[in-house]
Amino acid sequence: MGFNIVLGGFMSIKRVAESVDSGMWIPADRESVVTFCEAILRIFRDESERKNRQAARLMFLVEKYGVEEFKAAVIKEVESYGRGVKVQDQQPRETDVFERRELLGVHPQKQEGKVRVGVHVPAGRLSQTECRDLADLADKYSAGEIRMTVEQNLIFPNVDEGKVKEMLAEPVLGKGSRMSASPGFIEGNVVSCTGAQFCGLALIETKGNAEALSKKLEDLVTVDRPIRIHWTGCPNSCGQVQVADIGIMGGPARKEIDGKKMAVPGCKIFVGGRIGEDAHLAMEPIASGIPLDEEDLIPTLVDILKKEFGAVDKN
Ligand code: SF4
Protein backbone atom coordinates (compact mmCIF):
# COMPACT_ATOMS: atom_id res chain seq x y z
CA MET A 1 0.00 0.00 0.00
CA GLY A 2 1.15 3.51 -0.69
CA PHE A 3 0.37 6.85 -2.24
CA ASN A 4 0.78 8.35 -5.68
CA ILE A 5 1.67 11.99 -5.09
CA VAL A 6 -0.07 14.91 -6.77
CA LEU A 7 1.27 18.40 -6.17
CA GLY A 8 0.50 22.07 -6.41
CA GLY A 9 -3.30 22.41 -6.49
CA PHE A 10 -4.44 25.74 -5.08
CA MET A 11 -7.04 28.49 -5.12
CA SER A 12 -6.37 32.21 -4.93
CA ILE A 13 -7.54 35.54 -6.31
CA LYS A 14 -5.15 35.45 -9.27
CA ARG A 15 -5.24 31.82 -10.22
CA VAL A 16 -6.97 28.52 -9.46
CA ALA A 17 -5.02 25.39 -10.43
CA GLU A 18 -5.57 21.64 -10.34
CA SER A 19 -2.76 19.60 -8.85
CA VAL A 20 -0.45 17.75 -11.25
CA ASP A 21 0.94 14.21 -11.14
CA SER A 22 4.40 14.31 -9.59
CA GLY A 23 5.43 10.93 -11.03
CA MET A 24 6.26 9.72 -7.50
CA TRP A 25 4.92 7.01 -5.18
CA ILE A 26 5.72 6.44 -1.51
CA PRO A 27 4.83 3.58 0.83
CA ALA A 28 2.03 4.14 3.33
CA ASP A 29 4.16 4.19 6.45
CA ARG A 30 4.64 7.14 8.76
CA GLU A 31 8.39 7.51 8.24
CA SER A 32 8.03 7.66 4.45
CA VAL A 33 5.14 10.12 4.52
CA VAL A 34 6.73 12.46 7.07
CA THR A 35 10.14 12.36 5.36
CA PHE A 36 8.61 13.02 1.94
CA CYS A 37 6.55 15.98 3.21
CA GLU A 38 9.59 17.34 5.06
CA ALA A 39 11.64 17.24 1.84
CA ILE A 40 9.00 19.15 -0.13
CA LEU A 41 8.52 21.69 2.66
CA ARG A 42 12.27 22.30 2.93
CA ILE A 43 12.53 22.95 -0.80
CA PHE A 44 9.44 25.16 -0.73
CA ARG A 45 10.69 27.09 2.31
CA ASP A 46 14.07 27.89 0.82
CA GLU A 47 13.29 28.28 -2.87
CA SER A 48 9.74 29.59 -3.33
CA GLU A 49 8.75 33.22 -3.81
CA ARG A 50 7.57 33.62 -0.26
CA LYS A 51 7.83 37.40 -0.28
CA ASN A 52 5.31 37.64 -3.11
CA ARG A 53 2.07 36.40 -1.57
CA GLN A 54 0.44 35.69 -4.93
CA ALA A 55 3.36 33.50 -6.06
CA ALA A 56 4.03 31.78 -2.73
CA ARG A 57 2.46 28.54 -3.89
CA LEU A 58 4.06 25.19 -4.57
CA MET A 59 2.66 25.11 -8.11
CA PHE A 60 4.84 28.06 -9.16
CA LEU A 61 7.94 26.26 -7.89
CA VAL A 62 6.98 23.01 -9.64
CA GLU A 63 6.49 24.96 -12.87
CA LYS A 64 9.82 26.77 -12.43
CA TYR A 65 11.64 23.45 -12.04
CA GLY A 66 9.54 21.35 -14.46
CA VAL A 67 7.85 18.21 -13.06
CA GLU A 68 10.75 15.82 -13.83
CA GLU A 69 13.37 18.16 -12.36
CA PHE A 70 11.25 18.78 -9.27
CA LYS A 71 10.88 15.03 -8.82
CA ALA A 72 14.67 14.63 -9.02
CA ALA A 73 15.17 17.42 -6.45
CA VAL A 74 12.70 15.83 -4.02
CA ILE A 75 14.29 12.37 -4.35
CA LYS A 76 17.75 13.86 -3.78
CA GLU A 77 16.49 15.72 -0.70
CA VAL A 78 14.82 12.59 0.73
CA GLU A 79 18.00 10.54 0.18
CA SER A 80 20.11 13.23 1.86
CA TYR A 81 18.28 12.55 5.16
CA GLY A 82 19.71 9.00 5.23
CA ARG A 83 16.56 7.44 6.71
CA GLY A 84 16.25 4.62 4.19
CA VAL A 85 13.05 6.08 2.70
CA LYS A 86 12.64 5.09 -0.96
CA VAL A 87 10.62 7.25 -3.36
CA GLN A 88 9.42 5.14 -6.29
CA ASP A 89 7.88 5.87 -9.68
CA GLN A 90 4.17 6.58 -9.82
CA GLN A 91 1.98 3.44 -9.79
CA PRO A 92 -0.94 2.87 -12.19
CA ARG A 93 -4.02 4.75 -11.11
CA GLU A 94 -6.92 2.91 -9.50
CA THR A 95 -9.45 1.90 -12.14
CA ASP A 96 -12.25 0.68 -9.84
CA VAL A 97 -15.20 3.01 -9.48
CA PHE A 98 -14.56 5.26 -6.51
CA GLU A 99 -17.42 5.78 -4.14
CA ARG A 100 -17.00 8.40 -1.48
CA ARG A 101 -17.72 7.18 2.05
CA GLU A 102 -20.58 8.86 3.85
CA LEU A 103 -19.10 10.54 6.90
CA LEU A 104 -22.24 11.73 8.70
CA GLY A 105 -24.42 9.37 10.69
CA VAL A 106 -23.70 5.93 12.16
CA HIS A 107 -21.43 3.53 10.24
CA PRO A 108 -19.86 0.18 11.19
CA GLN A 109 -16.09 -0.02 11.63
CA LYS A 110 -13.85 -2.97 10.78
CA GLN A 111 -13.51 -3.60 14.50
CA GLU A 112 -16.35 -5.82 15.62
CA GLY A 113 -18.98 -4.10 17.73
CA LYS A 114 -17.60 -0.60 17.03
CA VAL A 115 -19.14 2.19 14.95
CA ARG A 116 -18.18 5.71 13.97
CA VAL A 117 -20.73 8.47 14.46
CA GLY A 118 -20.48 11.51 12.17
CA VAL A 119 -21.96 14.68 13.64
CA HIS A 120 -22.93 17.72 11.59
CA VAL A 121 -21.62 21.10 12.79
CA PRO A 122 -23.52 23.82 10.89
CA ALA A 123 -21.05 25.86 8.81
CA GLY A 124 -18.25 24.48 10.99
CA ARG A 125 -18.90 26.87 13.84
CA LEU A 126 -19.32 25.98 17.51
CA SER A 127 -19.96 28.10 20.57
CA GLN A 128 -17.88 27.58 23.69
CA THR A 129 -20.76 25.73 25.36
CA GLU A 130 -21.25 23.50 22.31
CA CYS A 131 -17.53 22.66 22.32
CA ARG A 132 -17.73 21.60 25.95
CA ASP A 133 -20.89 19.55 25.36
CA LEU A 134 -19.27 17.73 22.42
CA ALA A 135 -16.11 17.11 24.44
CA ASP A 136 -18.27 15.57 27.19
CA LEU A 137 -19.98 13.43 24.53
CA ALA A 138 -16.56 12.20 23.37
CA ASP A 139 -15.50 11.42 26.95
CA LYS A 140 -18.64 9.37 27.42
CA TYR A 141 -18.81 7.47 24.10
CA SER A 142 -15.54 7.61 22.11
CA ALA A 143 -12.79 7.52 24.75
CA GLY A 144 -12.33 11.27 24.42
CA GLU A 145 -11.50 11.06 20.71
CA ILE A 146 -12.98 13.33 18.02
CA ARG A 147 -11.84 13.54 14.40
CA MET A 148 -12.52 16.49 12.14
CA THR A 149 -13.63 16.16 8.52
CA VAL A 150 -12.69 18.48 5.66
CA GLU A 151 -16.37 19.41 5.50
CA GLN A 152 -16.05 20.97 8.97
CA ASN A 153 -17.95 18.19 10.73
CA LEU A 154 -16.95 15.76 13.50
CA ILE A 155 -16.50 12.00 13.74
CA PHE A 156 -16.70 10.16 17.05
CA PRO A 157 -14.81 6.88 16.42
CA ASN A 158 -14.90 3.55 18.25
CA VAL A 159 -18.35 3.99 19.76
CA ASP A 160 -19.79 0.74 21.18
CA GLU A 161 -22.63 -0.41 18.95
CA GLY A 162 -24.74 -1.04 22.01
CA LYS A 163 -24.35 2.59 23.15
CA VAL A 164 -25.38 4.30 19.90
CA LYS A 165 -29.05 4.68 20.75
CA GLU A 166 -28.18 6.29 24.06
CA MET A 167 -25.62 8.58 22.39
CA LEU A 168 -28.05 9.79 19.73
CA ALA A 169 -30.59 10.58 22.44
CA GLU A 170 -28.18 12.94 24.24
CA PRO A 171 -29.44 16.57 24.30
CA VAL A 172 -26.36 17.82 22.39
CA LEU A 173 -27.56 15.82 19.36
CA GLY A 174 -31.27 16.33 20.00
CA LYS A 175 -33.99 18.58 18.61
CA GLY A 176 -33.03 21.74 20.48
CA SER A 177 -29.37 21.51 19.43
CA ARG A 178 -27.66 22.87 16.29
CA MET A 179 -25.73 19.60 15.96
CA SER A 180 -27.17 16.38 14.58
CA ALA A 181 -26.06 12.96 13.38
CA SER A 182 -28.76 12.90 10.71
CA PRO A 183 -28.93 16.28 8.96
CA GLY A 184 -30.58 16.72 5.55
CA PHE A 185 -28.67 16.25 2.29
CA ILE A 186 -28.37 20.03 1.84
CA GLU A 187 -27.66 21.39 5.32
CA GLY A 188 -25.36 18.46 6.15
CA ASN A 189 -22.98 19.30 3.34
CA VAL A 190 -22.42 23.03 3.70
CA VAL A 191 -18.84 24.30 3.99
CA SER A 192 -18.04 27.91 4.77
CA CYS A 193 -14.95 30.08 5.13
CA THR A 194 -14.61 32.46 8.09
CA GLY A 195 -16.28 35.42 6.40
CA ALA A 196 -16.78 39.01 7.55
CA GLN A 197 -17.22 38.29 11.25
CA PHE A 198 -13.53 37.49 11.73
CA CYS A 199 -11.76 37.94 8.36
CA GLY A 200 -10.66 41.40 7.24
CA LEU A 201 -10.61 40.37 3.57
CA ALA A 202 -14.24 39.26 3.45
CA LEU A 203 -16.78 40.99 1.22
CA ILE A 204 -19.75 39.28 2.90
CA GLU A 205 -20.82 37.48 6.06
CA THR A 206 -20.66 33.76 5.28
CA LYS A 207 -21.20 31.33 8.15
CA GLY A 208 -24.46 32.80 9.46
CA ASN A 209 -25.86 33.06 5.93
CA ALA A 210 -24.67 29.56 5.06
CA GLU A 211 -26.43 28.03 8.06
CA ALA A 212 -29.67 30.02 7.67
CA LEU A 213 -30.00 29.55 3.91
CA SER A 214 -29.26 25.83 3.99
CA LYS A 215 -32.08 25.36 6.50
CA LYS A 216 -34.44 27.34 4.26
CA LEU A 217 -33.46 25.27 1.22
CA GLU A 218 -33.92 22.07 3.20
CA ASP A 219 -37.47 23.21 4.05
CA LEU A 220 -38.27 24.07 0.43
CA VAL A 221 -36.93 21.18 -1.66
CA THR A 222 -36.03 17.50 -1.53
CA VAL A 223 -32.88 16.10 -3.15
CA ASP A 224 -31.90 12.44 -3.45
CA ARG A 225 -28.19 12.78 -2.70
CA PRO A 226 -25.84 15.03 -0.73
CA ILE A 227 -25.47 18.45 -2.38
CA ARG A 228 -22.24 20.20 -1.41
CA ILE A 229 -22.80 23.96 -1.09
CA HIS A 230 -19.63 25.93 -0.30
CA TRP A 231 -19.49 29.58 0.79
CA THR A 232 -16.46 31.82 0.49
CA GLY A 233 -16.34 35.46 1.51
CA CYS A 234 -13.98 36.70 -1.22
CA PRO A 235 -12.09 35.44 -4.31
CA ASN A 236 -9.31 33.92 -2.17
CA SER A 237 -11.71 30.96 -2.03
CA CYS A 238 -10.76 29.51 1.35
CA GLY A 239 -14.22 27.90 1.17
CA GLN A 240 -13.19 26.28 -2.15
CA VAL A 241 -16.25 27.16 -4.21
CA GLN A 242 -14.65 25.71 -7.35
CA VAL A 243 -14.93 22.13 -6.04
CA ALA A 244 -18.50 22.47 -4.78
CA ASP A 245 -21.72 21.29 -6.39
CA ILE A 246 -22.83 24.88 -5.78
CA GLY A 247 -20.28 27.52 -4.79
CA ILE A 248 -21.23 30.94 -3.44
CA MET A 249 -18.49 33.59 -3.52
CA GLY A 250 -18.89 37.06 -2.00
CA GLY A 251 -18.91 39.91 -4.50
CA PRO A 252 -20.59 43.19 -5.31
CA ALA A 253 -24.27 43.45 -6.22
CA ARG A 254 -26.79 46.22 -6.83
CA LYS A 255 -30.43 46.26 -5.93
CA GLU A 256 -33.28 48.73 -6.30
CA ILE A 257 -34.21 50.09 -2.89
CA ASP A 258 -36.80 52.89 -2.60
CA GLY A 259 -36.51 53.54 -6.33
CA LYS A 260 -32.70 53.84 -6.26
CA LYS A 261 -30.06 51.33 -7.36
CA MET A 262 -28.01 50.68 -4.24
CA ALA A 263 -24.84 48.65 -3.63
CA VAL A 264 -25.65 45.61 -1.45
CA PRO A 265 -23.76 42.49 -0.31
CA GLY A 266 -23.88 39.99 -3.15
CA CYS A 267 -22.34 36.90 -4.64
CA LYS A 268 -21.20 34.97 -7.67
CA ILE A 269 -22.46 31.41 -8.07
CA PHE A 270 -20.37 28.49 -9.34
CA VAL A 271 -21.93 25.15 -10.28
CA GLY A 272 -20.55 21.71 -11.10
CA GLY A 273 -17.28 21.28 -9.20
CA ARG A 274 -16.42 17.65 -8.44
CA ILE A 275 -14.09 15.88 -6.00
CA GLY A 276 -12.58 12.37 -6.02
CA GLU A 277 -11.29 10.37 -8.98
CA ASP A 278 -13.37 12.40 -11.42
CA ALA A 279 -12.38 15.75 -9.91
CA HIS A 280 -13.22 18.92 -11.79
CA LEU A 281 -12.91 22.60 -10.94
CA ALA A 282 -15.77 24.93 -11.89
CA MET A 283 -13.67 27.90 -12.95
CA GLU A 284 -16.29 30.39 -14.12
CA PRO A 285 -19.39 31.55 -12.25
CA ILE A 286 -22.74 30.87 -13.88
CA ALA A 287 -24.21 33.99 -12.23
CA SER A 288 -22.78 37.21 -10.78
CA GLY A 289 -24.10 40.19 -8.85
CA ILE A 290 -26.84 38.21 -7.06
CA PRO A 291 -27.89 40.06 -3.88
CA LEU A 292 -27.49 37.98 -0.72
CA ASP A 293 -31.03 38.77 0.46
CA GLU A 294 -33.11 35.65 0.87
CA GLU A 295 -35.71 37.01 -1.56
CA ASP A 296 -33.07 37.10 -4.31
CA LEU A 297 -30.72 34.27 -3.46
CA ILE A 298 -33.19 31.56 -2.38
CA PRO A 299 -35.16 31.49 -5.68
CA THR A 300 -31.87 31.45 -7.62
CA LEU A 301 -30.56 28.50 -5.59
CA VAL A 302 -33.86 26.61 -5.75
CA ASP A 303 -33.81 27.02 -9.52
CA ILE A 304 -30.25 25.64 -9.72
CA LEU A 305 -31.11 22.75 -7.39
CA LYS A 306 -34.07 21.80 -9.58
CA LYS A 307 -32.34 22.20 -12.96
CA GLU A 308 -28.94 20.76 -12.12
CA PHE A 309 -29.57 18.38 -9.21
CA GLY A 310 -33.12 17.09 -9.72
CA ALA A 311 -34.58 18.76 -6.63
CA VAL A 312 -38.36 18.74 -6.24
CA ASP A 313 -40.62 21.02 -4.20
CA LYS A 314 -41.47 19.74 -0.72
CA ASN A 315 -45.07 20.92 -0.82
S1 SF4 B 1 -12.12 33.37 1.42
FE1 SF4 B 1 -13.07 33.84 3.40
S2 SF4 B 1 -11.56 33.38 4.99
FE2 SF4 B 1 -10.50 33.41 2.98
S3 SF4 B 1 -9.68 35.46 2.83
FE3 SF4 B 1 -11.68 35.49 1.81
S4 SF4 B 1 -13.20 36.03 3.38
FE4 SF4 B 1 -11.28 35.51 4.42
Side-chain angles (χ1 to χ4, degrees):
M1 288 290 284
F3 302 106
N4 281 331
I5 310 293
V6 295
L7 294 173
F10 75 100
M11 290 162 185
S12 73
I13 289 181
K14 293 258 186 230
R15 181 180 168 194
V16 173
E18 286 183 35
S19 50
V20 293
D21 284 337
S22 72
M24 292 182 273
W25 180 94
I26 54 168
D29 63 83
R30 187 171 298 196
E31 180 74 353
S32 298
V33 172
V34 170
T35 301
F36 186 83
C37 292
E38 184 182 340
I40 289 188
L41 287 171
R42 203 288 300 157
I43 295 170
F44 180 69
R45 182 195 69 189
D46 294 345
E47 300 182 31
S48 69
E49 295 247 15
R50 294 180 62 218
K51 284 194 184 136
N52 175 1
R53 209 179 150 91
Q54 292 305 330
R57 306 286 188 150
L58 185 61
M59 179 61 94
F60 290 99
L61 193 58
V62 173
E63 286 175 342
K64 192 168 143 196
Y65 265 91
V67 173
E68 278 305 314
E69 290 77 8
F70 190 74
K71 176 181 171 184
V74 172
I75 291 173
K76 190 171 163 205
E77 180 76 14
V78 166
E79 286 173 353
S80 76
Y81 298 158
R83 297 177 196 162
V85 171
K86 285 268 172 276
V87 178
Q88 298 177 36
D89 284 341
Q90 181 166 315
Q91 301 294 306
R93 278 179 176 271
E94 192 69 58
T95 50
D96 290 350
V97 177
F98 170 79
E99 203 163 318
R100 200 157 182 261
R101 280 188 302 176
E102 177 56 60
L103 299 180
L104 295 170
V106 181
H107 302 277
Q109 293 184 190
K110 277 185 196 159
Q111 297 82 359
E112 197 157 327
K114 297 287 185 187
V115 298
R116 58 182 163 89
V117 180
V119 171
H120 173 231
V121 176
R125 175 160 287 170
L126 292 170
S127 71
Q128 192 181 19
T129 307
E130 288 167 343
C131 284
R132 289 187 183 282
D133 290 346
L134 287 165
D136 288 344
L137 197 71
D139 280 342
K140 196 165 170 188
Y141 296 99
S142 59
E145 186 173 348
I146 296 177
R147 300 184 186 188
M148 294 178 181
T149 75
V150 289
E151 283 90 13
Q152 306 175 319
N153 296 313
L154 302 175
I155 294 175
F156 293 73
N158 303 315
V159 176
D160 286 334
E161 221 167 359
K163 290 272 185 183
V164 169
K165 213 169 157 195
E166 183 187 329
M167 179 179 175
L168 297 180
E170 293 281 356
V172 65
L173 300 180
K175 270 212 158 52
S177 168
R178 289 174 64 237
M179 282 74 69
S180 161
S182 53
F185 278 151
I186 296 174
E187 60 181 342
N189 292 281
V190 167
V191 168
S192 173
C193 84
T194 303
Q197 190 177 5
F198 297 114
C199 177
L201 299 174
L203 302 171
I204 58 168
E205 207 293 304
T206 51
K207 286 193 183 280
N209 282 322
E211 184 173 349
L213 264 75
S214 65
K215 275 190 201 311
K216 281 260 155 65
L217 291 171
E218 201 76 66
D219 289 343
L220 290 170
V221 294
T222 301
V223 287
D224 61 4
R225 68 170 178 89
I227 305 295
R228 298 171 303 107
I229 301 183
H230 287 209
W231 285 71
T232 207
C234 79
N236 280 304
S237 204
C238 302
Q240 303 184 330
V241 293
Q242 291 87 353
V243 301
D245 288 320
I246 301 175
I248 299 172
M249 175 187 284
R254 295 182 79 77
K255 181 171 176 158
E256 196 162 311
I257 299 171
D258 297 333
K260 285 186 192 156
K261 279 271 183 196
M262 307 284 279
V264 294
C267 65
K268 295 178 178 178
I269 301 179
F270 296 70
V271 171
R274 295 193 298 273
I275 52 177
E277 293 295 294
D278 185 30
H280 166 74
L281 296 177
M283 295 291 204
E284 296 298 330
I286 62 153
S288 298
I290 310 290
L292 274 195
D293 295 351
E294 281 185 11
E295 63 179 23
D296 295 295
L297 189 50
I298 289 278
T300 306
L301 293 175
V302 166
D303 199 43
I304 292 169
L305 284 166
K306 286 181 177 173
K307 281 193 183 133
E308 305 290 335
F309 302 99
V312 292
D313 287 326
K314 267 206 167 134
N315 298 313

